[in-house]
Amino acid sequence: METERTRSAALLPCFPPAAAAIATMMLLGRGLDARDNQTRQMQDAVSNVEKHFGELCQIFAGYVRKTARLRDKADLLVNEIYAYAATETPNLKVGLKNFADEFSRLQDYRQAEVDRLEAKVVEPLKSYGTIVKLKRDDLRATLTAKNREAKQLSQLEKTRQRNPSDLHIIAECELQRATLDATRTTRHLEETIDNFEKQKIRDIKNIFSEFITIEMLFHGKALEIYTAAYQNIQNIDENEDLEISRRILRKDEEEEEEDDEDDEEEDDEDEFDATKEAFIRFR
């Protein structure tokens, strides 16, 4: 297989040594400019992901925290419904208790939603901190190689100016090696950019697909449970409970009337005793 060194060597004899050296240096200079553009592109891409993925991570984490707080408030609501139901008439008591049972069951699914969002959405976004760090390390390595090539190119130019007679040696040796190093660096940078973009798009698709799936599962189950809870409330027989309340009220009134009658009888007895005692004293 033909290598970069072979192709470069095949091209150089077509020119005089001085022209070959100058042409090669010009190519190297243009290669450095191209790598500068690629490096800036990679830096911009990494910085953009670092900024927006960081924002997404914070917002999704806040979303999960608020969902967890909503679950906590719902638990308090369930406890209060249980406490209130215990004080009510039979039908209302059963209806409220069944409603609270369903609503409590929903909070179990909400907890599962919180756990899944944390694992499938927030954590993958957090991991991009490490990915960005690794890509910055790649960029630093690329910049180091680019700086080394630029320094080498500068040294070759100085050599050309000092020793014009050695141009053919420079063209055949040092410049070819510099060209190969530059080609390797360019290819590595292109692969790095390409892999980073592929991974970013794939991860975005996965993260948002997981988010949508988790939310759909929860809300689907929530619709089922809310339907059952609604039916429990609608099944409360208010007429029967109203009749029970009326019977209790009538019973209380009857008991109160009996108490009043007992009080009147006691008052009559007390009055009779007082009259009898006064009569005895008079005699």
Side-chain angles (χ1 to χ4, degrees):
M1 183 180 292
E2 186 180 28
T3 64
E4 293 292 338
R5 183 184 297 274
T6 305
R7 287 197 294 271
S8 299
L11 290 172
L12 291 175
C14 298
F15 302 94
I22 294 171
T24 304
M25 289 182 184
M26 290 177 64
L27 288 173
L28 282 172
R30 286 197 293 270
L32 287 172
D33 291 338
R35 282 190 296 284
D36 281 341
N37 293 332
Q38 289 174 325
T39 302
R40 281 192 295 271
Q41 178 186 348
M42 184 66 182
Q43 287 174 329
D44 291 344
V46 170
S47 297
N48 189 60
V49 167
E50 183 177 32
K51 174 186 175 182
H52 291 289
F53 274 51
E55 290 292 333
L56 286 171
C57 183
Q58 290 183 7
I59 294 171
F60 271 122
Y63 181 94
V64 173
R65 287 194 299 272
K66 286 184 180 295
T67 303
R69 285 199 291 270
L70 179 60
R71 173 210 59 211
D72 294 339
K73 291 295 184 182
D75 289 340
L76 293 176
L77 179 58
V78 167
N79 292 335
E80 179 57 29
I81 292 173
Y82 280 137
Y84 170 55
T87 67
E88 274 297 345
T89 50
N91 280 281
L92 183 56
K93 177 179 181 179
V94 171
L96 288 174
K97 182 179 179 301
N98 290 339
F99 172 86
D101 288 343
E102 294 293 342
F103 200 59
S104 177
R105 190 161 67 94
L106 178 61
Q107 306 321 308
D108 295 336
Y109 288 101
R110 199 184 300 278
Q111 179 61 49
E113 176 195 16
V114 168
D115 294 339
R116 289 169 183 165
L117 287 173
E118 185 70 31
K120 300 294 186 179
V121 177
V122 177
E123 285 302 323
L125 287 170
K126 279 183 182 179
S127 70
Y128 259 80
T130 302
I131 293 173
V132 166
K133 181 179 181 299
L134 293 174
K135 295 307 175 184
R136 290 200 184 281
D137 291 341
D138 287 341
L139 281 173
R140 278 194 290 271
T142 300
L143 288 172
T144 300
K146 182 177 70 67
N147 292 336
R148 185 171 59 249
E149 291 159 15
K151 182 178 179 181
Q152 188 177 22
L153 182 61
S154 176
Q155 290 174 346
L156 292 173
E157 176 62 21
K158 290 177 181 179
T159 302
R160 183 184 70 82
Q161 293 174 357
R162 288 197 304 267
N163 303 302
S165 60
D166 295 335
L167 285 176
H168 65 285
I169 300 174
I170 297 172
E172 291 291 339
C173 299
E174 299 297 332
L175 291 182
Q176 288 185 22
R177 185 161 59 248
T179 301
L180 291 175
D181 291 341
T183 301
R184 281 195 296 270
T185 302
T186 300
R187 287 180 177 173
H188 175 70
L189 188 57
E190 289 174 349
E191 290 175 359
T192 299
I193 294 173
D194 191 60
N195 291 336
F196 181 74
E197 291 296 324
K198 284 181 181 178
Q199 182 178 6
K200 177 191 70 176
I201 295 171
R202 183 172 59 248
D203 289 342
I204 280 289
K205 289 176 64 178
N206 289 339
I207 289 169
F208 278 86
S209 295
E210 289 288 353
F211 174 74
I212 293 169
T213 301
I214 292 167
E215 291 297 287
M216 285 172 51
L217 287 172
F218 170 75
H219 288 290
K221 184 58 68 173
L223 180 60
E224 174 187 329
I225 292 174
Y226 278 131
T227 300
Y230 178 83
Q231 194 60 50
N232 286 325
I233 293 298
Q234 293 302 309
N235 287 339
I236 296 173
D237 190 340
E238 61 267 28
N239 292 326
E240 184 175 344
D241 272 8
L242 184 58
E243 183 60 32
I244 292 173
S245 296
R246 287 170 178 168
R247 286 201 301 268
I248 293 174
L249 181 60
R250 284 196 296 269
K251 182 179 179 181
D252 291 341
E253 290 176 349
E254 291 173 357
E255 290 177 352
E256 186 175 347
E257 290 177 356
E258 291 177 358
D259 291 340
D260 291 341
E261 290 177 357
D262 291 341
D263 291 340
E264 288 178 0
E265 291 177 358
E266 290 177 359
D267 290 342
D268 291 341
E269 290 178 358
D270 291 342
E271 184 177 353
F272 176 78
D273 291 341
T275 303
K276 181 179 179 180
E277 183 178 354
F279 178 75
I280 293 173
R281 285 200 303 269
F282 177 76
R283 289 183 63 187

